Amino acid sequence: MPEAHLSDSVDKSVFAAALVASTFSMFVAPQPTRSAPISVGQNVMVSNPGSGKAYYEVLLSADPSNATHLLACTTVANRDLADSPYDSAVYVSSDSGAHWTQTLYVRDAGDPACAVGVEGRAYFAAIETKLNSHNKRFSMTRFYRSTDAGEHWLPPVDLSRSLDREFIAVDKTSGKQRGFVYVNAAKYVRNLNDDWASITNSINTFGFFVSSDGGKSFERSGVLAPNDYQYVFADGGSTVLSNGTYIAVFPDLNNRKKQLPPDHTEPDTTLKLLASEDAGETFNKAVIISPQASCSQGSTFSMLPQVATDYSGGPFKDRLYVVWPDQGSGRCEIKFSYSKDKGKTWSSPATVNDDVARPSPKTGPDDFMPAIAVNKNGVVGVLWQSRQSDSTNLGYSLRFAASFDGGESFEPSVAVSTASAAIGRGKMLELWGASSGGGNREDYTRGQPLAVELGYDGRFDYIGGDTIGLAADGDGVFHGLWTDNRAGIFAVWTAPMRTIGIAVNHGSPDLASLSDVTEKATIDVANVRFNKSTSDLTADFYLANTSKVSLEAPLKLRITSLRSKLGAASLVTSATDYAQSQILDFTPQIAGALAAGKRSQAQCVTFHIANLHSVVMYPWNSLTQFISLQARVYAKAQQKRAKAQPTKRGSP
């Protein structure tokens, strides 16, 4: 973007100072009431509050053929003397989440995964901990299936030992692999020195299992090892494209020999995608989605990516979407990318959360643990846990945002949970205890000093586990699933999110028939002013045609991302529809067309910054503190010229 002219309305000497603090008034200008494209229903408790047990780490699946059927699974804290500190449970709803029934409870089991299949089938997997004949612990991942939508469960089949955080995907297409079941998980492999306790020395691989008989057996399985010093730190979610291609995403640790400090902002992992077009017989070369600075500072540990596919018949069919947590900005945020070509290439990462960083470094708010789904209308939904309403950056609540344009932009997020998870709530604190060393049942701690630790479990009490749930039912309604301790102990909660509208090209019916000409245009900016009494920023925007062809009217600019480091930024407009409120029509500023190399007349644009906080201005980043936006430009679709027919020999 060409450099803006700094108006005299803001003292230029401020930008020359090395460090100047300025506090602005908190006046909020009136804004027009805009129709909300997202409505959130009642929060409903899923787990039994009378059990006295705490619940964490949930997943959710919906039945595309039965809008009332939902399947949920959760970890249950087991604080008595047991082989494992965790149990797992499955819940079923037959009335769109209004009521829930527990249908399966597995002792000494964690990392639960569940999925609705085809023809009334349901699936559940968990990592069960047992003691062998030598009184040592070992883990076995077991897979359960149900033929009556999760009401009753058949005996499990064993998948493998030494797995971590499995996910289930089912082929629900009409192809020849319909009903195939896929399980992916991180697979620990011992090295030649029989050492798998250390990331530095052990090998972690991508493990997969394939069933062609609806989960009765898994006739195909294997591992894919990382390269060099990389390490498959954990697995992420998985999905199946409409042509039956199996897709899985995962974070690959860049160098297991070099561990970065918890507050790092440089990437420590690389998000990758694996695809199999033949039901796991072969896999294509892993595709890089994006570098990732996994969240590991303070109270927030979050790194798992999640993936979803557009199964609708709309304009974005088979588009892949991935979300993940990332602390590259200095706090944990929700990143997002999409692929138009079934995972071969990916868009530049965008930020989904729309809160504002606190002025003090490393104080958040952190946004973490995202989940993603696409409904039957092609609308993309993202749910995540946010600490924006907790000044301590320890508690969290749930927020949801939706994209109606194939991931090019997201509507403003909305609160989903009506209460938050808070550390230290209640008179009696439920804590954890663990021992290590001595003759411990865990191989990797044997021989170390015998020790006991009592206190909070950072993985569960601060973040609620490793996963939350989001699914879209057959009617297009999104359902979220999470845990919080509003009732005095961590319980499972759910709520429906309804999105008004369908996915459309360029995010608006008014733009759907136009061509994207962003690569042929730029924005010139002049006369930038900020009114400290109203918190309004005004600027003259010009559209310039940098191509060699004319851009014909209508000519419109659409803002796809609008942010401010100082508060909540919005475009001042009279439009009541959010999609329309982000469009600037430059047609009146041109005479029917914008000629090559020419610039439009100016359009004065006004932005409002609400909830303005104290500002620290630095000369090297001052241009990004007030307003930072991304935009697309659209013009009348260009008519393709017919190819000239070759002249026949002998013709005139």
Side-chain angles (χ1 to χ4, degrees), residues 196-473:
W196 59 356
S198 168
I199 289 179
T200 303
N201 297 321
S202 64
I203 300 174
N204 220 25
T205 65
F206 176 90
F208 66 93
F209 306 83
V210 183
S211 171
S212 62
D213 57 8
K216 296 178 183 178
S217 62
F218 287 81
E219 67 274 18
R220 189 175 301 143
S221 64
V223 296
L224 299 174
N227 298 324
D228 301 325
Y229 291 115
Q230 294 174 328
Y231 182 94
V232 180
F233 202 83
D235 265 20
S238 52
T239 187
V240 179
L241 296 176
S242 64
N243 64 358
T245 298
Y246 170 64
I247 298 289
V249 296
F250 63 96
D252 200 357
L253 191 66
N254 292 337
N255 189 343
R256 68 177 187 269
K257 299 287 186 179
K258 180 182 178 182
Q259 301 296 303
L260 297 179
D263 60 350
H264 66 93
T265 56
E266 64 269 34
D268 60 336
T269 61
T270 301
L271 296 183
K272 296 181 179 180
L273 174 145
L274 283 170
S276 175
E277 300 173 3
D278 51 15
E281 288 190 14
T282 61
F283 279 84
N284 298 336
K285 181 180 178 180
V287 173
I288 293 177
I289 300 172
S290 172
Q292 178 194 27
S294 62
C295 299
S296 58
Q297 65 178 350
S299 59
T300 304
F301 180 86
S302 182
M303 70 181 306
L304 295 184
Q306 299 295 340
V307 61
T309 306
D310 185 343
Y311 291 113
S312 75
F316 310 112
K317 181 181 179 180
D318 264 348
R319 184 170 288 195
L320 281 168
Y321 304 97
V322 172
V323 288
W324 67 93
D326 189 286
Q327 67 179 33
S329 66
R331 65 184 180 113
C332 196
E333 297 193 273
I334 307 302
K335 296 296 183 179
F336 170 90
S337 182
Y338 63 84
S339 173
K340 299 179 181 180
D341 53 12
K342 300 181 179 180
K344 296 179 179 64
T345 60
W346 290 85
S347 65
S348 298
T351 303
V352 178
N353 56 285
D354 50 6
D355 51 6
V356 180
R358 297 184 177 118
S360 300
K362 300 180 182 179
T363 59
D366 286 336
D367 298 275
F368 58 101
M369 205 181 301
I372 189 168
V374 185
N375 74 4
K376 69 171 188 176
N377 298 319
V379 179
V380 184
V382 177
L383 181 73
W384 70 93
Q385 296 184 164
S386 174
R387 303 196 194 278
Q388 72 175 77
S389 60
D390 190 310
S391 60
T392 67
N393 207 41
L394 296 176
Y396 62 82
S397 56
L398 276 290
R399 298 195 70 83
F400 176 83
S403 172
F404 293 80
D405 58 6
E408 289 185 359
S409 66
F410 278 84
E411 305 277 330
S413 68
V414 298
V416 173
S417 52
T418 54
S420 63
I423 297 299
R425 174 176 279 152
K427 294 182 179 180
M428 185 66 68
L429 300 182
E430 294 286 343
L431 303 178
W432 298 77
S435 65
S436 61
N440 197 275
R441 298 178 184 88
E442 302 286 357
D443 281 344
Y444 65 88
T445 72
R446 280 178 173 257
Q448 299 177 14
L450 183 61
V452 174
E453 293 184 351
L454 308 173
Y456 283 120
D457 185 302
R459 180 67 59 86
F460 290 100
D461 294 319
Y462 290 108
I463 63 175
D466 288 327
T467 57
I468 58 174
L470 181 67
D473 67 25

Side-chain angles (χ1 to χ4, degrees), residues 560-588:
T560 58
S561 175
L562 177 61
R563 298 179 182 275
S564 172
K565 292 184 178 180
L566 311 182
S570 61
L571 178 66
V572 177
T573 173
S574 60
T576 58
D577 176 78
Y578 179 79
Q580 293 297 320
S581 72
Q582 303 305 294
I583 298 173
L584 298 175
D585 189 355
F586 275 82
T587 304

Side-chain angles (χ1 to χ4, degrees), residues 168-181:
I168 303 171
V170 181
D171 188 330
K172 301 176 185 177
T173 70
S174 58
K176 63 180 181 179
Q177 290 157 195
R178 175 178 170 82
F180 275 39
V181 181

Side-chain angles (χ1 to χ4, degrees), residues 15-29:
F15 292 87
L19 183 64
V20 178
S22 174
T23 303
F24 297 140
S25 65
M26 298 301 292
F27 174 81
V28 178

